[in-house]
Amino acid sequence: MGTKHSPGRRAARLTRCVPLTRPGWVEAGRHLLAGLETAVREVNAGGGIVGRTLEMVVRDTAADPQRAVAAVDELAGLGVAALAGEYHSVVARAAATRADVLGLPFLCSSAVLDALTEQPTEWVARLAPPQSHGWRIYADFLLGAGRGRIAVAAQPSLYWASGARILRDHLAPRGGTVIELDGDALAPTAVGDELVHHRATALLLLTGHPEPAVSMVKAVRRDQRLAGIMIGAPAGQPEFAEWAALPGDDGSAIPFLRYLPERLSPLGARVETVLRERLGAAPSFVAFEGYDTVAVLAAVLRSHGTDRARIAASWPRVAVDGTRGQIRFSRTPGISVWQSAGTPVQVADRDPVEPDRFRILHAEPSPPGTGP
């Protein structure tokens, strides 16, 4: 799947890995793909990459790390200049590890897992903030809202385990408590008993979407003993329209993390209009991440060509205006990849009165260059 180009004029080729089928989070993959493709069309409408068409080849990862590794192997052999995309952290980790071995530049759009690779690498850069940063902000929001006894319903996953550990390590010195519940073994109807037993003031859904998350939400909302409890979903499930449709009114007032400024820049506002028309709904932060991924790679290709080593060497020199502010990469302690600095972080929820409207509950102060 790619963009046609004139005979005799070789395209600049990138590849994108996106979850487009189950068990992948298909709606997130669709938003990521919309952002990527919108930016590719704009690059090509503006003359491409030094007169050459920018071509992107799509591979569906379906939330499967092994499938992602196979795609990286295949596409590296096809001579693509760089790898882009991916939403699921565990899948992105597998892709990043393989890209590092093969010497293939990878700009990760959305995955937040801190340890995206086991060892520091020069080949991988990331746009989304690391999980430790965003989830600490979420933990501070919980404390500020008076929620100090936090139950987490977690399924087995490196990503969920990492999130629970970040919350526990950040909350414990501040008087908070994290109670871990088995999200696989515990029936949704039994969650209420556990919350009452542990005197929890909040339940965080560190589980798959739509199930068991939706069933847990419905069970807790209908339990009269839990009328005052907060339900949270730091991974961002309520950002997407599918979430609003499945639990219905029960899905509102569930705070989640998203990576948007309080006000978009002029570029961001223009792109939002295009994405809204393309998606038929408000674009999520994931769609903006997709657009910004191509904006960065297009700028790198114009300056450094398609040589893989030169692309990877360019990460610390990137300075690109994205939809949510200027994008630069730096080394962050404890993070193994080149990390975008200054990505804005919000805690938001869906308004119970008007579920299509988002309320910003807490926002990290925007760094210079992220405002309009």
Side-chain angles (χ1 to χ4, degrees):
M1 179 176 178
T3 305
K4 294 182 179 179
H5 55 280
S6 302
R9 178 170 290 180
R10 186 178 177 186
R13 301 186 75 195
L14 305 173
T15 184
R16 50 196 169 194
C17 289
V18 184
L20 296 175
T21 54
R22 297 288 185 190
W25 196 339
V26 174
E27 190 172 12
R30 188 170 67 90
H31 279 236
L32 180 57
L33 187 60
L36 290 162
E37 290 185 337
T38 296
V40 168
R41 289 192 177 117
E42 291 188 3
V43 168
N44 288 332
I49 306 298
V50 194
R52 294 185 297 168
T53 300
L54 178 61
E55 178 183 324
M56 294 196 77
V57 184
V58 177
R59 290 294 181 269
D60 174 20
T61 60
D64 183 343
Q66 294 307 312
R67 190 164 173 172
V69 169
V72 174
D73 285 342
E74 174 205 355
L75 294 161
L78 293 177
V80 298
L83 177 68
E86 193 46 50
Y87 175 78
H88 296 287
S89 280
V90 176
V91 178
R93 177 180 165 85
T97 298
R98 190 59 181 160
D100 179 48
V101 170
L102 297 176
L104 178 64
F106 175 27
L107 179 53
C108 182
S109 303
S110 295
V112 299
L113 195 66
D114 280 32
L116 206 55
T117 55
E118 284 290 346
Q119 302 296 328
T121 176
E122 300 296 322
W123 294 96
V124 183
R126 171 171 54 194
L127 287 175
Q131 187 180 21
S132 58
H133 179 65
W135 286 49
R136 285 170 188 157
I137 291 172
Y138 193 89
D140 288 338
F141 159 75
L142 291 173
L143 289 177
R147 311 289 172 163
R149 294 186 61 80
I150 314 300
V152 297
Q155 290 182 298
S157 161
L158 179 63
Y159 173 66
W160 297 127
S162 173
R165 184 177 62 254
I166 292 164
L167 292 170
R168 184 173 57 250
D169 292 349
H170 191 70
L171 288 168
R174 295 161 177 80
T177 302
V178 172
I179 304 126
E180 296 194 42
L181 309 178
D182 190 330
D184 269 348
L186 197 62
T189 52
V191 171
D193 293 336
E194 291 294 321
L195 297 177
V196 171
H197 173 71
H198 290 288
R199 295 179 290 109
T201 55
L203 169 67
L204 303 188
L205 304 172
L206 309 192
T207 63
H209 171 74
E211 292 298 338
V214 169
S215 293
M216 286 186 182
V217 168
K218 289 182 175 180
V220 171
R221 293 292 201 211
R222 284 159 175 69
D223 192 326
Q224 294 183 357
R225 298 172 299 171
L226 304 171
I229 201 165
M230 174 190 288
I231 303 175
Q237 296 95 320
E239 170 85 6
F240 298 93
E242 181 184 21
W243 175 268
L246 288 173
D249 292 341
D250 290 334
S252 61
I254 296 180
F256 63 94
L257 282 169
R258 64 176 182 171
Y259 309 119
L260 289 173
E262 294 192 59
R263 290 183 295 168
L264 289 167
S265 67
L267 170 63
R270 179 183 66 76
V271 171
E272 179 185 37
T273 300
V274 176
L275 288 171
R276 184 182 292 271
E277 182 176 351
R278 180 183 177 88
L279 291 165
S284 69
F285 67 87
V286 178
F288 291 103
E289 288 173 330
Y291 185 96
D292 288 345
T293 300
V294 173
V296 168
L297 288 173
V300 168
L301 290 170
R302 290 189 186 105
S303 299
H304 303 284
T306 58
D307 180 80
R308 292 174 179 175
R310 292 186 64 192
I311 292 171
S314 74
W315 298 136
R317 296 190 292 275
V318 165
V320 173
D321 289 331
T323 56
R324 298 162 298 161
Q326 189 173 68
I327 299 167
R328 293 179 178 270
F329 298 107
S330 61
R331 285 298 190 186
T332 301
I335 307 300
S336 60
V337 302
W338 287 100
Q339 179 64 54
S340 177
T343 303
V345 178
Q346 293 178 1
V347 179
D349 71 357
R350 288 182 176 271
D351 189 334
V353 177
E354 191 179 344
D356 287 338
R357 187 177 76 87
F358 293 105
R359 303 183 299 185
I360 300 174
L361 308 176
H362 180 75
E364 182 183 30
S366 296
T370 60

